[in-house]
Amino acid sequence: MKIAIPTHRRSDVINKLTLSLLQKIDKKDIFIFISDVQDYKLYQKECIGYNLILCNTNNATNKFNYIQNYFDCNEFIFVIEDDIKKIQSLVTNDVTKLFKFIESYCLKNNINSFGVYPSSNKFFMSKTIDVGLTYIVANLFGFKSFNDSRLLCKMKTKTDYERSVLYYNVLGDIARFNFISCLTNNYNNKGGMQDNGGRSEIEKESSYMLCSMYPNIYSINNNRKSKYTELKMNKNVIKHNI
């Protein structure tokens, strides 16, 4: 099991956020993927002992694709965004135990990709696992590593929606652990994708493109309140109780 953290311009907060949640995991198993030389020098000062990987990528899509093909085959990779405040669960607050449970479940059931519940509202979470075609949010997901170009995303945004379909089509059933979620602030934190201007229009363009590419899976969700265009997924899952 390896941990991959894509990051951009957050060397000043990553230790207070995501890395503070991973203190029980050996630093040698945590890989921080950095955009450019400017960022790399800052992370060298703040993230001592971790694996710092210079990607030279100019956007989030390229960085996630870099991570997709970076690791040796047949390793379980947990991808976690750099601004996670809390990984919460209905079962245990021990992050290491949660990750080991996920890895064990996937190995036992021949699952090659996984995710967590997309909302941090515990009211909607449940002690269930969805298996099949489902949406996996970008703040915490994972895969069994395969160097396969069919798994690389092309969208500028909404890559978690694109990735969900690619994983299902190439790797088979996805397992989503509905009793785990992340507390974050994806649209407002300094750094990350917020450094890219014109996001609203890009989100809209990507949303309509995904609806065109996968008309039986995605449609525009006009009922969800958001400053960005949102999608609705036609899922196909079997729900398992834990």
Side-chain angles (χ1 to χ4, degrees):
M1 177 175 65
K2 298 289 189 295
I3 310 296
I5 306 174
T7 187
H8 181 73
R9 306 291 189 259
R10 287 189 177 138
S11 61
D12 56 333
V13 297
I14 191 171
N15 277 303
K16 299 174 185 177
L17 296 171
T18 300
L19 289 179
S20 70
L21 309 176
L22 306 175
Q23 293 180 0
K24 291 184 179 180
I25 297 176
D26 196 320
K27 288 184 178 181
K28 70 178 178 61
D29 292 324
I30 299 177
F31 295 73
I32 302 174
F33 292 82
I34 302 165
S35 300
D36 51 39
V37 174
Q38 174 189 340
D39 243 9
Y40 189 83
K41 292 178 180 178
L42 296 173
Y43 282 88
Q44 278 184 312
K45 296 178 182 179
E46 299 292 340
C47 302
I48 298 171
Y50 296 96
N51 298 287
L52 304 182
I53 312 301
L54 179 60
C55 303
N56 285 319
T57 50
N58 58 7
N59 59 53
T61 301
N62 289 342
K63 185 172 293 181
F64 277 111
N65 285 342
Y66 188 99
I67 292 170
Q68 186 69 52
N69 281 337
Y70 179 81
F71 295 94
D72 293 335
C73 289
N74 296 316
E75 285 192 277
F76 272 99
I77 312 301
F78 287 70
V79 183
I80 312 174
E81 292 188 336
D82 59 0
D83 61 344
I84 305 299
K85 299 176 182 177
K86 182 180 181 180
I87 298 173
Q88 57 187 8
S89 167
L90 301 179
V91 178
T92 176
N93 291 322
D94 189 317
V95 173
T96 304
K97 287 183 179 179
L98 286 175
F99 286 6
K100 287 182 178 179
F101 176 86
I102 291 173
E103 184 179 36
S104 175
Y105 180 91
C106 290
L107 283 169
K108 181 180 178 181
N109 294 281
N110 197 29
I111 298 289
N112 294 315
S113 62
F114 54 88
V116 300
Y117 195 69
S119 170
S120 60
N121 190 334
K122 283 191 173 183
F123 179 80
F124 298 107
M125 294 167 64
S126 62
K127 293 182 180 180
T128 62
I129 302 170
D130 288 346
V131 177
L133 171 60
T134 188
Y135 168 64
I136 46 175
V137 67
N139 55 33
L140 174 53
F141 70 94
F143 57 90
K144 193 174 184 181
S145 54
F146 296 94
N147 292 327
D148 191 326
S149 61
R150 294 175 297 170
L151 297 170
L152 303 182
C153 293
K154 297 180 176 62
M155 299 288 107
K156 294 180 180 178
T157 63
K158 300 294 185 190
T159 51
D160 42 2
Y161 288 90
E162 181 184 14
R163 183 180 300 110
S164 298
V165 178
L166 294 178
Y167 278 9
Y168 179 76
N169 286 343
V170 177
L171 301 178
D173 285 343
I174 298 166
R176 193 177 80 181
F177 299 86
N178 296 319
F179 55 91
I180 306 170
S181 69
C182 293
L183 190 61
T184 183
N185 196 8
N186 286 332
Y187 290 153
N188 296 316
N189 284 343
K190 180 183 177 182
M193 286 186 61
Q194 283 59 252
D195 275 6
N196 297 328
R199 178 167 181 176
S200 180
E201 193 59 35
I202 296 173
E203 290 270 348
K204 182 178 180 180
E205 179 184 330
S206 295
S207 296
Y208 279 92
M209 189 173 296
L210 285 166
C211 290
S212 176
M213 292 168 61
Y214 307 109
N216 296 324
I217 299 175
Y218 290 122
S219 58
I220 301 298
N221 187 350
N222 293 313
N223 296 322
R224 184 176 175 184
K225 293 182 180 179
S226 174
K227 61 182 178 180
Y228 299 117
T229 305
E230 299 291 349
L231 290 170
K232 183 178 181 180
M233 184 184 208
N234 182 23
K235 298 187 294 183
N236 182 17
V237 300
I238 297 174
K239 193 175 293 288
H240 301 273
N241 295 317
I242 62 166

